[in-house]
């Protein structure tokens, strides 16, 4: 991976660190919470590398110390980033502790305190289609596509289509992997899938638990009745060298996660996505409300 735009030399020089994010509003808000907390509580200046890319781009940048910090979700860290553990852990605290130990031992990087918000993957459907076909759970969806694979249209983005905890894993876990190639799947950009559903272009789609568009469009969340998706609690992930050089960042970063839950982030997401408010302003407002800056 090449060096990031605007970055020269090793990050961490001259009291500056870089914070990156993935390409969706919740992750951008989290990144700005980290930036604002560091800038207000330390003498460190922060470089904005938000919207860097997907999981792999952010992870590779952090591991190569092209950035210093980004937030990662516990389920994603456990299943997607090497060593890519295959055994799921469904207890949220146990998963966090396992991820924290894994990253310290395998990579020398540190996870700080996690948030209680759970941005797990979900499957959503058009309410009329779900009611017509009697689909309330992922087992119902599996039974339906087994019988009607060519008559079912599903929206997926590029990352969910490939992730082991995404489309391939859902098919394996719920027993319809043998017909997945026959299902009409549509490639969509993250966030657009809800509008595509609402307009009747697809029947079902992947989604995220904290996305406000689910409620805004009146979509049905299909119950994960056989417990495929683990918890996805975000926590700041910090490069080990950065942590050694700037130990003063630990306290302000550790205070953010425990103050943030699913209801609050869903509200912030709604203001960013639906009302188009500035993510950095929302991050700062949250920190001020919680007395963290």
């Amino acid at each position: 991976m090449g060096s990031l735009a605007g970055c020269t030399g090793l990050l961490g020089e001259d009291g500056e660190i870089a914070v990156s994010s993935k390409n969706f509003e919740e992750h951008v808000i989290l990144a700005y919470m980290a930036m604002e907390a560091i800038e207000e509580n330390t003498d460190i200046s922060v470089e904005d590398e938000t919207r860097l890319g997907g999981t792999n781009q952010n992870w590779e940048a952090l591991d190569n110390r092209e950035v210093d910090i980004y937030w990662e979700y516990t389920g994603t860290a456990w299943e997607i980033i090497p060593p890519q553990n295959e055994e799921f852990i469904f207890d949220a605290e146990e998963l966090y502790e396992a991820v924290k130990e894994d990253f310290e031992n395998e990579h020398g990087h540190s996870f700080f305190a996690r948030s209680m918000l759970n941005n797990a993957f979900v499957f959503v459907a058009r309410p009329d289609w779900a009611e017509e076909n009697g689909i309330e759970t992922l087992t119902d969806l599996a039974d339906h596509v087994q019988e009607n694979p060519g008559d079912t249209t599903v929206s997926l983005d590029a990352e969910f289509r490939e992730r082991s905890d995404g489309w391939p894993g859902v098919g394996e876990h719920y027993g319809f992997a043998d017909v997945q190639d026959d299902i009409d799947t549509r490639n969509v950009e993250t966030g657009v899938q809800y509008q595509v559903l609402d307009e009747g272009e697809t029947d079902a789609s992947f989604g995220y638990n904290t996305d406000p568009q689910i409620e805004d469009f009146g979509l049905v969340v299909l119950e994960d009745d056989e417990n495929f998706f683990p918890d996805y609690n975000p926590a700041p992930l910090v490069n080990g060298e950065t942590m050694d050089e700037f130990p003063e960042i630990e306290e302000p970063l550790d205070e953010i996660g425990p103050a943030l839950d699913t209801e609050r982030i869903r509200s912030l997401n709604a203001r960013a996505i639906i009302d188009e408010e500035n993510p950095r302003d929302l991050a700062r407002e949250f920190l001020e409300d919680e007395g963290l800056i």
Side-chain angles (χ1 to χ4, degrees):
M1 177 174 180
S3 59
L4 302 174
C7 296
T8 57
L10 285 175
L11 296 175
E13 294 178 348
D14 302 322
E16 181 177 80
I17 61 177
V19 179
S20 68
S21 82
K22 304 181 190 184
N23 288 322
F24 55 95
E25 296 307 303
E26 174 172 306
H27 215 252
V28 174
I29 293 169
L30 290 170
Y32 282 130
M33 287 181 184
M35 291 184 218
E36 292 285 344
I38 291 170
E39 288 188 332
E40 289 290 332
N41 292 289
T42 74
D43 294 326
I44 301 167
S45 59
V46 180
E47 183 167 352
D48 182 347
E49 292 290 348
T50 51
R51 304 188 191 278
L52 177 61
T55 298
N56 289 335
Q57 289 91 337
N58 279 272
W59 162 247
E60 289 172 8
L62 182 126
D63 196 39
N64 293 327
R65 210 184 176 195
E66 293 176 319
V67 302
D68 296 282
I69 301 166
Y70 83 98
W71 290 71
E72 190 53 275
Y73 296 87
T74 50
T76 298
W78 182 249
E79 297 174 38
I80 300 304
I81 298 172
Q84 294 178 298
N85 301 278
E86 294 183 0
E87 182 181 350
F88 290 178
I89 299 175
F90 290 100
D91 180 86
E93 178 63 23
E94 184 181 346
L95 175 61
Y96 168 71
E97 292 298 336
V99 164
K100 187 175 180 181
E101 182 178 355
D102 238 18
F103 275 69
E104 187 69 42
N105 294 338
E106 293 283 338
H107 307 294
H109 305 321
S110 298
F111 267 104
F112 289 170
R114 69 184 171 103
S115 168
M116 297 300 105
L117 78 88
N118 181 20
N119 194 8
F121 285 118
V122 292
F123 255 86
V124 293
R126 296 198 332 265
D128 57 336
W129 178 82
E131 182 176 359
E132 179 183 347
N133 293 284
I135 298 174
E136 298 180 351
T137 68
L138 286 179
T139 294
D140 294 336
L141 177 65
D143 291 342
H144 179 78
V145 297
Q146 284 280 11
E147 297 174 6
N148 312 279
D151 296 331
T152 306
T153 307
V154 177
S155 298
L156 309 170
D157 75 355
E159 186 168 322
F160 188 81
R161 182 184 289 274
E162 301 296 330
R163 289 174 61 132
S164 61
D165 61 341
W167 185 235
V170 172
E172 288 288 344
H173 190 81
Y174 279 94
F176 63 94
D178 57 325
V179 300
Q180 274 186 306
D181 289 343
D182 299 322
I183 298 171
D184 183 6
T185 58
R186 308 284 177 87
N187 292 320
V188 296
E189 294 292 328
T190 304
V192 177
Q193 71 267 36
Y194 306 113
Q195 182 178 343
V196 169
L197 269 178
D198 184 61
E199 293 173 352
E201 296 181 28
T202 59
D203 304 314
S205 176
F206 83 103
Y208 298 94
N209 182 46
T210 57
D211 280 351
Q213 301 98 311
I214 296 173
E215 182 176 350
D216 193 51
F217 284 116
L219 302 173
V220 174
V221 177
L222 304 183
E223 180 188 352
D224 180 17
D225 54 316
E226 294 186 12
N227 297 319
F228 172 69
F229 295 117
D231 281 5
Y232 293 76
N233 303 139
L237 178 58
V238 182
N239 179 280
E241 294 178 15
T242 303
M243 188 61 217
D244 290 340
E245 292 183 33
F246 302 103
E248 65 269 35
I249 67 175
E250 182 169 8
E251 183 175 348
L253 289 179
D254 260 346
E255 292 179 334
I256 302 172
L260 189 60
D261 60 17
T262 299
E263 182 178 356
R264 187 67 184 276
I265 196 65
R266 191 179 284 130
S267 172
L268 293 172
N269 289 343
R271 292 172 62 186
I273 296 167
I274 297 171
D275 300 334
E276 299 183 348
E277 294 187 45
N278 184 288
R280 188 156 199 164
D281 292 343
L282 293 171
R284 186 171 183 86
E285 177 187 306
F286 169 80
L287 296 175
E288 289 173 343
D289 288 347
E290 296 298 322
L292 301 181
I293 60 173

